[in-house]
Amino acid sequence: MLREGRAKLPAEAPAPESTSNLEEQYSNLCSENIRKSNPFILDILKRVDEEIEKGSKEGITLNIGGNNHLVPVQRVSGDDFWLLSKVLRTQSCISGVDVRYNLIRDVGAYYAAKLLQKQQSITYLNLMFNDIGPEGGELIAKALHKNKTLKYLRMTGNKIGNTGGMSFAAMLQINSSLEKLDLGDCDLGLQSVIAFSTVLTQNQAIKGINLNRPILYGEQEESTVHTGHMLKENHFLVELHMCKHDIKNYGMQQLCNALYLNSSLRYLDVSCNKITRDGMVYLADVLKSNTTVEVIDLSFNRIETTGAKYLSETLSSHNRSLKALSVVSNKIDGEGLVALSQSMKINLTLSNIYIWGNKFDEATCVAYSDLMKSGRLRPDNTDVEPYEVDGRVYLAEVSNGLKRHYYWTPRCGDAYAYSSTAGFALVPVGQYL
């Protein structure tokens, strides 16, 4: 039984004939199946119809995010998505479907799987935070065994657990078209993480994978051992997210050892772990020879001043490939932050640096203010902005970063602006975050 508590799914409704008026198709389906139409869906479909009338015939993304604060939202349920999927099956102009932060649950996942099997133009599907469980995850994974068009799937925040994770790992043994998979905050277990590491030694299609915040037990850092082995074998993966993996210095050593042999990884995210200054010894050393990695996210670790100095020495003397570095909230004091600023004067490749949440002193404020005044550091490429009070320089926080809009989108402005999503802009894998 699916998790919405019904013994059976709604009977299959016939798909409507293909016309340009999506709003009318949806309304007719609701009437035929004696269902109440969702006003939020009607409003979005009306806007898409207007876009089509203006000349957009392909590459349209249907954005029905339940966290939209600018319009009245009635969150999409499994029944709502059932009828919506009927409309979408015949629409070749729709290439993306974003239903983040809704309540489609496992029932909606069933129809999402059906949609992937029958609609051959969708390349992007975002189901993040929809209360989908292991059964729904398994259904979607099985649908991808035959699907050859989807490029990017985002399952972030759905608690599919180890069962769902193993289904997706098995899918990657068969699917050769999916390029980016986000399973962050999905309660994956160690078994799933090991399975993904094993499968990715062979899979040549996946360019980006997010395995953030698995449920791990023990202190052996096994996930990094297996991931390290995978990185030695895989020469196609470009983007890897291992946030909240409980990585310590031994785990960092495993990843760094792999980077001596890896020639494809460009974006490494090890934020929110337990890496200290000793782990920076390994990273600084590998960056002397690695010419591939361009973005490193070390946010919310504890590398301290000593760790920052290890990195600054390498960036000054050897490395000329790293473009962006985030050391946000790492207990670094002024000496370490100034050392990083000095390395930017020598290393002209490093364009982005994020330092908020550390211990600023007057020397730090002056150093980064000077970098921006000289034009060496662009305001969009850092998360601080200088200002003066009584002749003294201070730094204020600004909303820039490597992935500021990973969980949310702004009420105004461009959600995909370079300044707030610099990591994905510098290392693009797919059209979306």
Side-chain angles (χ1 to χ4, degrees):
M1 185 185 295
L2 294 177
R3 289 200 309 148
E4 260 188 24
R6 292 178 295 178
K8 60 180 182 179
L9 296 160
E12 284 283 318
E17 292 183 9
S18 179
T19 68
S20 61
N21 195 325
L22 304 181
E23 182 187 9
E24 185 179 343
Q25 290 182 48
Y26 175 70
S27 296
N28 291 341
L29 270 174
C30 290
S31 299
E32 291 167 11
N33 291 276
I34 319 174
R35 304 275 174 173
K36 204 171 183 179
S37 61
N38 184 315
F40 180 45
I41 293 179
L42 283 171
D43 181 61
I44 297 298
L45 293 180
K46 181 180 179 181
R47 297 185 189 198
V48 173
D49 286 333
E50 292 171 354
E51 193 175 336
I52 293 173
E53 286 179 15
K54 290 177 182 177
S56 298
K57 298 296 182 184
E58 59 183 18
I60 297 173
T61 297
L62 193 66
N63 188 345
I64 312 183
N67 62 335
N68 191 328
H69 298 288
L70 301 178
V71 297
V73 171
Q74 179 180 316
R75 294 202 171 184
V76 178
S77 67
D79 277 353
D80 292 330
F81 194 80
W82 162 48
L83 296 173
L84 178 63
S85 68
K86 295 294 182 185
V87 176
L88 297 180
R89 283 186 192 181
T90 59
Q91 301 301 322
S92 59
C93 62
I94 304 294
S95 65
V97 179
D98 186 341
V99 287
R100 68 178 78 190
Y101 291 102
N102 281 293
L103 298 167
I104 71 169
R105 300 190 169 95
D106 286 345
V107 170
Y110 171 84
Y111 292 109
K114 288 285 186 184
L115 185 63
L116 289 173
Q117 291 171 339
K118 298 184 179 182
Q119 221 278 28
Q120 297 302 306
S121 63
I122 292 178
T123 59
Y124 168 62
L125 179 60
N126 189 337
L127 299 173
M128 68 184 288
F129 291 99
N130 260 287
D131 201 21
I132 297 171
E135 185 179 352
E138 190 173 359
L139 290 168
I140 293 170
K142 286 182 177 179
L144 291 174
H145 284 206
K146 295 182 178 179
N147 180 285
K148 295 182 180 179
T149 54
L150 192 70
K151 300 295 183 184
Y152 181 12
L153 173 64
R154 192 161 184 199
M155 292 289 292
T156 320
N158 293 298
K159 308 308 179 186
I160 62 173
N162 219 42
T163 302
M166 292 300 291
S167 297
F168 276 102
M171 175 271 295
L172 291 182
Q173 292 182 298
I174 301 168
N175 184 291
S176 59
S177 57
L178 193 67
E179 294 181 1
K180 192 168 181 179
L181 176 62
D182 190 335
L183 295 175
D185 301 282
C186 284
D187 287 0
L188 304 179
L190 178 60
Q191 185 183 9
S192 297
V193 176
I194 293 174
F196 280 111
S197 297
T198 303
V199 169
L200 288 176
T201 59
Q202 302 296 324
N203 185 292
Q204 299 182 6
I206 288 289
K207 303 292 189 298
I209 191 162
N210 187 319
L211 300 174
N212 287 351
R213 211 219 65 168
I215 305 298
L216 303 175
Y217 300 98
E219 301 292 327
Q220 302 303 313
E221 300 185 72
E222 291 179 66
S223 67
T224 57
V225 174
H226 292 278
T227 303
H229 174 71
M230 178 271 291
L231 288 173
K232 291 176 182 178
E233 303 290 329
N234 183 303
H235 298 289
F236 301 92
L237 191 67
V238 172
E239 178 185 327
L240 174 63
H241 297 269
M242 295 184 70
C243 174
K244 299 180 183 177
H245 268 246
D246 205 25
I247 300 173
K248 304 179 186 68
N249 295 326
Y250 173 75
M252 194 64 190
Q253 183 183 21
Q254 299 303 307
L255 296 176
C256 290
N257 286 345
L259 291 178
Y260 285 106
L261 302 175
N262 183 281
S263 58
S264 65
L265 194 71
R266 295 171 57 199
Y267 188 161
L268 176 63
D269 176 6
V270 287
S271 57
C272 302
N273 282 294
K274 297 178 179 179
I275 304 166
T276 71
R277 59 187 181 182
D278 293 336
M280 293 304 96
V281 174
Y282 308 119
L283 182 59
D285 194 56
V286 73
L287 288 178
K288 291 177 181 178
S289 57
N290 182 289
T291 58
T292 310
V293 176
E294 297 178 4
V295 179
I296 296 179
D297 191 348
L298 290 165
S299 306
F300 302 99
N301 280 284
R302 194 174 157 180
I303 70 170
E304 300 178 316
T305 299
T306 305
K309 291 174 76 173
Y310 288 145
L311 290 177
S312 65
E313 288 168 11
T314 293
L315 292 172
S316 297
S317 60
H318 292 82
N319 186 280
R320 292 296 181 270
S321 58
L322 192 69
K323 295 178 180 178
L325 173 67
S326 177
V327 290
V328 170
S329 296
N330 262 278
K331 297 186 179 297
I332 305 171
D333 65 20
E335 185 181 355
L337 295 170
V338 170
L340 288 171
S341 73
Q342 292 298 323
S343 69
M344 291 194 73
K345 293 180 179 179
I346 301 169
N347 184 336
L348 301 182
T349 306
L350 185 63
S351 59
N352 297 55
I353 189 163
Y354 304 94
I355 62 171
W356 187 258
N358 291 294
K359 303 172 185 177
F360 298 165
D361 58 11
E362 187 173 3
T364 301
C365 299
V366 171
Y368 285 87
S369 176
D370 289 346
L371 281 177
M372 282 184 263
K373 282 180 181 178
S374 67
R376 173 63 189 89
L377 179 60
R378 293 182 55 208
D380 283 350
N381 293 355
T382 186
D383 57 349
V384 293
E385 181 180 23
Y387 67 97
E388 280 192 35
V389 175
D390 296 332
R392 179 172 174 176
V393 179
Y394 297 89
L395 295 177
E397 183 184 18
V398 291
S399 187
N400 296 336
L402 294 177
K403 49 181 173 54
R404 294 284 290 202
H405 295 156
Y406 175 69
Y407 288 111
W408 57 281
T409 53
R411 295 191 182 190
C412 59
D414 184 6
Y416 303 105
Y418 172 88
S419 60
S420 52
T421 57
F424 299 112
L426 289 168
V427 183
V429 178
Q431 186 178 353
Y432 306 90
L433 294 183

